Amino acid sequence: MKHSFALVTGATSGLGYAAASLLAAKGYRQVIVTGRRLAQVRKTAAQLAAETKKKVFTPLELELDSPSSVESALGELVKQGEPIDFLLLNAGLVPFKKRVLTPAGIEASQAPLIGHHQLTVGLLRANLLSPNARIVIAGAEPARGGVPMFKYTDLPAFAAKHHQGDRTAAVEALIRNGPNVKYVPNNAYADAKLIIAWWTAALARRLPAGMAVYAVSPGAATDTKVVRSAGPALRYLFIPIVNLIPGMNQTPETAARRYLQASEFGTDVSGKFFASAKGKFTGPIEEQLQPHLHDRASQEAAWQAVVKVSGADFSPASPSGPPITNRPAGLTWKNSSSSVAT
């Protein structure tokens, strides 16, 4: 894949910032860096240019919680007219101690996926991904299970108990932290990353031939702002303990290199989730083979739930068939109720 155009979400600090710098060093001719506020992302682009001595950084305002912001960003990308070779969906959020919903009624740590879905679908519809584009979205080890203090929801059991077996409704309930979902911050984070892994697999089946998508855990890199919203148990107990164990933490630059490594993977592993080996949070990444990650019914339920919540879809003629290519370039947003709760 030629190294021409890349887009990085959540690039104003941490892993996104490190990844943008590494992409410039790798030879990308343009690296679009995004952030919530245009002034901040302009500052980021200037700082990256000064540090790398490369004038390849383009700032783009993108608020993933806001469909209108995503649509505006897509409009700017349409004006630029250059297809993106590497789409890095890095932005994320560790859940707050108390439940927080966005104005659209989405649990805060689930919201980045909704925005990333809207962005990705918009780029696909506008033909703004190159024929061999690679998409990487940030995952995390708790999605595979076996991580102390984190537990993902057993979706089939949850759907059977509360949603008459309807997994799509069950995933939507997790995304919205509905009435049958007990809010536990670490569990909400595990669920968010598991839904990302499922969404990735479902997207892979819908991409045109030649394109590929992967969920990639950057691994432990606590020297970032990602834990700014985490509860005290995670910030003052789990992370300090992890930092004391050799090989259980890494720099943001080392973590971000996992993203770039995945950008060179082939289509044969499109849709897979890559993370550290079992019991690890650093070191080489490997495909995760846990059965719950490969449950196709859960993967499709996650996709349909995200479509329902976001109001944006991109579907092939059949689950394994060629993609629909005659959709309009613009996005159509469904109305959603506005509510905020903490």
Side-chain angles (χ1 to χ4, degrees), residues 9-61:
T9 68
T12 56
S13 64
L15 299 178
Y17 188 95
S21 179
L22 291 169
L23 287 167
K26 196 173 180 67
Y28 276 81
R29 293 195 292 116
Q30 184 180 18
V31 181
I32 302 167
V33 290
T34 79
R36 292 173 178 268
R37 302 290 178 264
L38 185 57
Q40 179 60 44
V41 77
R42 281 176 173 167
K43 182 179 178 181
T44 295
Q47 186 173 339
L48 282 164
E51 290 178 359
T52 63
K53 305 296 190 291
K54 294 180 180 290
K55 297 181 179 180
V56 299
F57 302 99
T58 300
L60 178 67
E61 185 176 43

Side-chain angles (χ1 to χ4, degrees), residues 115 216 229 331:
V216 176
S229 55
L331 290 176

Side-chain angles (χ1 to χ4, degrees), residues 112-235:
L113 172 59
I114 304 305
H116 282 147
H117 173 87
Q118 293 165 337
L119 175 66
T120 303
V121 167
L123 291 171
L124 284 165
R125 290 184 182 178
N127 293 318
L128 283 175
L129 292 178
S130 66
N132 296 313
R134 294 294 183 263
I135 304 167
V136 169
I137 185 167
E141 275 77 9
R144 71 182 183 205
V147 177
M149 299 177 61
F150 293 84
K151 183 181 179 181
Y152 63 81
T153 298
D154 182 333
L155 185 67
F158 178 69
K161 183 176 182 179
H162 298 291
H163 298 279
Q164 296 77 49
D166 185 340
R167 294 194 196 185
T168 298
V171 175
E172 183 180 359
L174 294 175
I175 290 173
R176 297 189 180 279
N177 197 249
N180 293 314
V181 180
K182 181 181 178 181
Y183 182 72
V184 178
N186 289 0
N187 295 353
Y189 182 74
D191 284 338
K193 294 303 183 179
L194 177 53
I195 292 170
I196 283 173
W198 285 332
W199 174 87
T200 299
L203 174 60
R205 290 191 283 270
R206 291 162 168 80
L207 288 177
M211 294 185 192
V213 58
Y214 323 97
V216 176
S217 171
T222 57
D223 187 22
T224 71
K225 295 181 179 179
V226 71
V227 297
R228 64 190 180 275
S229 55
L234 186 61
R235 295 180 66 182

Side-chain angles (χ1 to χ4, degrees), residues 63-110:
E63 171 57 78
L64 290 168
D65 292 352
S66 167
S68 62
S69 177
V70 177
E71 194 166 22
S72 178
L74 285 167
E76 292 298 318
L77 293 169
V78 168
K79 289 179 185 177
Q80 177 176 281
E82 294 287 351
I84 294 166
D85 302 299
F86 180 38
L87 176 62
L88 176 52
L89 307 175
N90 160 76
L93 177 73
V94 173
F96 295 90
K97 181 180 178 180
K98 293 184 178 181
R99 186 180 75 144
V100 174
L101 301 183
T102 70
I106 302 166
E107 194 276 313
S109 65
Q110 298 277 1

